[in-house]
Structures are given as C-alpha cells and as structure tokens.
Amino acid sequence: MAEKRDYYEVLGLQKGASEEEIKKAFRKMALKYHPDRNPGDKEAEEKFKEVNEAYSVLSDPDKKNKYDRFGFAGVDPNAGFGGAGAGGFGGGFGGGFDDIFSAFGDMFGGGFGGFGGGAASRNQPRKGRDLQKTVTITFDEAFAGTEKTIKVTKYVQCPDCKGEGTAPGTSRKTCSRCHGTGSVTTVQNTPLGRFQSTGPCPECGGRGTIIETPCPTCKGSGKVKKTIEIQVKIPAGVDNDSVIPIRGQGDPGENGGPNGDFYVVIAVKPHDLFKRERDNLYIEIPVTFTQAALGDEITVPTMDGKVSYPMPSGTQPGTVFRLKGKGMPNVRGGRSGDLYVKVNLEVPTKLNNSQKKAIREMGEKLDHDCYKKKSSFAQKMKEFFS
C-alpha cells in the first residue's frame, strides 16, 4: 500500500491554509481528476479519492484541528485521538461527502453523477457528531491517575420514538418523488461540457422518506437534548493536551448509524515545586555555603514522598543530581521518568557584626588551593594583561 501523503500536500497547500483556500484548491483538484473527465483512468480515480479524503478532513474545523496537532493519528479512530473521519473512497468520511459534493453544487447545481452525491449519502447510515470537553486536574491527580464525573448537555436518542422521528403508532413513508433514493438527477450543459448532476430531492430533503406525523417530543428529529453524567478514568502520567476517547458517547447517529465519540482533553494545573518535561521532573533546592562546602544529607521532595540524598562536599552551585525513576509515570505503562535536582547556593544576607567577623576569619584561613576556579581565572587575567 502506498504511503499516505500529507493532506495539505494533496491539495497543493501550505499548513494553516484558510477555509476559502482549502475549498478553492479542492474544487480545482477534484475537477481535474474527476472520473467523468477521465473515464477508465485508474490513476485519476485514485487521485480523486485522495483529494476527497484530504478535503473531508481539512474542511471540518474539528478534524482539521486534530490533524494539525496529531497528524494522521488525530483523524484515525483507532489511534485514541478521535478522528472519525478519514477513510477510503465511498464511505467512512463521517458525513464528509455532504460537504464535498456541496462544493460541486456551487458550480454545477449538484453532485456529479455516478458517485451517489451528497443527497444519496443523507439516506445512508451516518455516524453521529463527535464531542469534546476539557477537564482540568491537579498535578497530583496527573501523577496518580484519577476518575472524574463529567456533566455534558448533548443530544440523545428520543425516548418516545427511539430515534425514528415519527409519532407512536406511525412510520415513515417512502418519498413519491425520488422513490426512496433521496436524490433527483438532472443533466446540465456547462462551459466545461455536459454533466449529469445529482442533487437532494426537494420533496424529502434527501432523506428518501417523509414523516407525515412527527413525534411530538422531538418534533421529528429523532433526538432530544439532555444533561448526562459521563465517568472517565484518567490514567497516571497524563499531561496537558492528552486526549481520552470515550466511544459512543457523542451525538446519536442518523439513519441507524452509530453514535459519535466523546473526547476528553486534559489540562493539568502547574505544581508549586516541580516543572515537567515529558516524563521527567525538575526541582531546584537552595543549600547553604556550609552544606555545599562540607557536604550534607539533604531532603528531596518527590511526588510519592521525601527521600534523603547524600550531597558530597565541595558541591558547586548549579550542580544537578538525577534521581532515577522518580519522575512521572509513563501514560502507556512504560518506565517512569527521572527527577533532576538542581542545587542553588544561597548567599546569607542581613548579617550582624559577629557573623561578619566569623566569615572574615574563615576566609583568612582559606588559601588559594580551596578556590581552584578563582585561582585559574586570576592566572588567565594575569596572562591577558601581560
């Protein structure tokens, strides 16, 4: 199987292209490779499929955002980022064909013949809309993992008509104009030639069926809004912008299609002591001159308790110690990161006369051998000015 090309590359665009630029590029490329203009050309047909797939993602703001952030994984429903979307030609676009063929409708008054068009796709099962919500957790919850109850107001299947949209005891009727296909076909002459176009049936709106007696609860839509609670398990090690998919908790599907998915985006509050980079943690600890010069057993806070660390004598300011495995757990169950401890030397302030005298006496007893860096610098200064 050929390697997937970047969707922007497929449409000849740069990342960050505007909605109008995307639509314009799609029209140009789709018209170039459309099978009606390239009969029997398998390569053109594959290009047409590729163009449709790229447009189905980049024309949808939600999918485009996920693709820009996570690449193909962002629009792959099996990757955990939530992209119900990019699939093979002829299906799996999660409603993308409605937008694709409506773009052709602007030019030709409807979708191209022979490909079902946006009208026909309305009569097919379609996955419901994906939903997304950001949940803020503490740094400690990100370390240990947690469980949250999320309240969300969304569409659910109408309990009275079970999503059919019809009043109890009634059913949908086949549209007499399109005979259940949901589309009507016309032939139109254009400057580019003669095209057969397919558009939604004006009688049934492309559904293929008509509701004569709508359900009084949902007014024929088959769904109603409701506030529900969703339980989400947040694994240990999550970071900002981690995405947790909850399958089937999005909006209801249409025409018997599956429900959409619900994506929980994680936001982690900063910690007072620790900074994080991937799975590693960083902390700065102030020490006194006496501790640094003579060495000491310093107490280091970690996310799962305090540990003692033997700081050697002669420790210099800015020295970094590594505590292996004391960072954040890997969200996929791998090895935990490390904790890096940076030592900052704190110079005493607000000294009284007695303290100043003691420091002077100590300084007088320390010779040049105790200050290797100072001695080396003095030698370089001497050579510089000589």
Side-chain angles (χ1 to χ4, degrees):
M1 180 179 292
E3 185 178 350
K4 260 186 189 294
R5 288 201 297 155
D6 175 70
Y7 289 144
Y8 289 100
E9 179 186 342
V10 170
L11 296 180
L13 297 169
Q14 295 293 325
K15 188 173 181 180
S18 67
E19 182 180 347
E20 186 58 36
E21 289 173 330
I22 291 170
K23 180 175 284 190
K24 184 177 179 180
F26 164 71
R27 288 174 174 172
K28 177 181 176 182
M29 301 297 285
L31 189 61
K32 178 180 178 181
Y33 294 116
H34 194 279
D36 280 0
R37 302 190 70 192
N38 302 273
D41 188 336
K42 292 293 183 183
E43 184 178 352
E45 183 180 337
E46 290 303 316
K47 292 282 188 183
F48 185 67
K49 295 176 184 178
E50 188 179 42
V51 168
N52 278 325
E53 180 177 331
Y55 183 72
S56 73
V57 172
L58 299 183
S59 64
D60 183 308
D62 182 51
K63 293 175 188 174
K64 179 176 181 292
N65 179 52
K66 291 172 184 174
Y67 178 72
D68 288 345
R69 290 167 62 193
F70 306 114
F72 291 113
V75 290
D76 181 353
N78 299 315
F81 290 93
F89 179 72
F93 284 97
F97 276 127
D98 282 344
D99 295 331
I100 290 170
F101 284 95
S102 68
F104 281 113
D106 293 342
M107 296 183 288
F108 303 107
F112 282 99
F115 289 87
S121 68
R122 295 184 186 183
N123 201 25
Q124 297 171 356
R126 286 186 291 168
K127 184 180 178 181
R129 186 168 62 101
D130 293 339
L131 302 177
Q132 177 179 305
K133 185 168 185 177
T134 298
V135 173
T136 301
I137 62 175
T138 65
F139 203 91
D140 293 293
E141 289 174 325
F143 176 79
T146 185
E147 187 168 334
K148 295 289 184 180
T149 300
I150 302 172
K151 285 188 176 182
V152 57
T153 301
K154 69 182 197 73
Y155 284 107
V156 298
Q157 187 183 78
C158 176
D160 293 339
C161 66
K162 303 296 186 290
E164 290 296 321
T166 56
T170 67
S171 60
R172 292 173 177 263
K173 304 294 182 182
T174 301
C175 176
S176 58
R177 180 163 181 176
C178 66
H179 306 291
T181 64
S183 61
V184 291
T185 302
T186 58
V187 177
Q188 186 173 358
N189 293 319
T190 74
L192 298 174
R194 190 180 185 190
F195 288 95
Q196 178 178 288
S197 61
T198 301
C201 172
E203 193 72 26
C204 64
R207 302 294 178 184
T209 57
I210 294 174
I211 299 176
E212 293 182 335
T213 311
C215 169
T217 303
C218 64
K219 305 298 187 293
S221 68
K223 51 190 177 183
V224 294
K225 273 198 170 182
K226 183 180 179 182
T227 299
I228 65 169
E229 292 185 346
I230 299 176
Q231 296 293 124
V232 55
K233 290 185 177 181
I234 301 174
V238 294
D239 201 355
N240 284 307
D241 294 330
S242 292
V243 180
I244 302 172
I246 304 176
R247 305 301 180 191
Q249 287 290 358
D251 280 349
E254 296 187 27
N255 303 323
N259 290 350
D261 299 320
F262 186 81
Y263 296 97
V264 179
V265 180
I266 302 298
V268 182
K269 293 180 180 179
H271 198 277
D272 291 337
L273 294 176
F274 300 103
K275 302 296 182 185
R276 178 177 182 176
E277 289 184 14
R278 295 191 178 90
D279 292 339
N280 295 324
L281 295 179
Y282 297 81
I283 189 172
E284 296 187 9
I285 296 181
V287 296
T288 66
F289 171 82
T290 304
Q291 287 178 301
L294 303 180
D296 194 11
E297 195 85 13
I298 61 173
T299 300
V300 178
T302 73
M303 288 300 297
D304 53 5
K306 295 183 287 187
V307 298
S308 293
Y309 187 87
M311 184 175 66
S313 60
T315 296
Q316 297 300 305
T319 299
V320 177
F321 303 112
R322 174 190 177 197
L323 277 63
K324 190 174 181 180
K326 289 297 183 179
M328 295 293 284
N330 185 276
V331 73
R332 293 180 177 83
R335 184 183 68 84
S336 293
D338 302 324
L339 173 61
Y340 291 88
V341 183
K342 182 179 180 181
V343 172
N344 287 334
L345 180 64
E346 183 177 9
V347 178
T349 59
K350 298 181 180 179
L351 299 172
N352 58 36
N353 290 333
S354 176
Q355 292 166 334
K356 291 178 181 178
K357 181 181 178 181
I359 291 176
R360 288 193 189 98
E361 290 175 351
M362 180 193 70
E364 292 170 357
K365 294 179 180 179
L366 296 175
D367 56 29
H368 291 296
D369 290 338
C370 297
Y371 296 102
K372 291 183 178 180
K373 290 182 180 180
K374 183 178 180 181
S375 298
S376 175
F377 182 76
Q379 180 62 31
K380 290 177 181 178
M381 287 275 289
K382 182 179 179 180
E383 293 172 357
F384 180 76
F385 286 108
S386 62

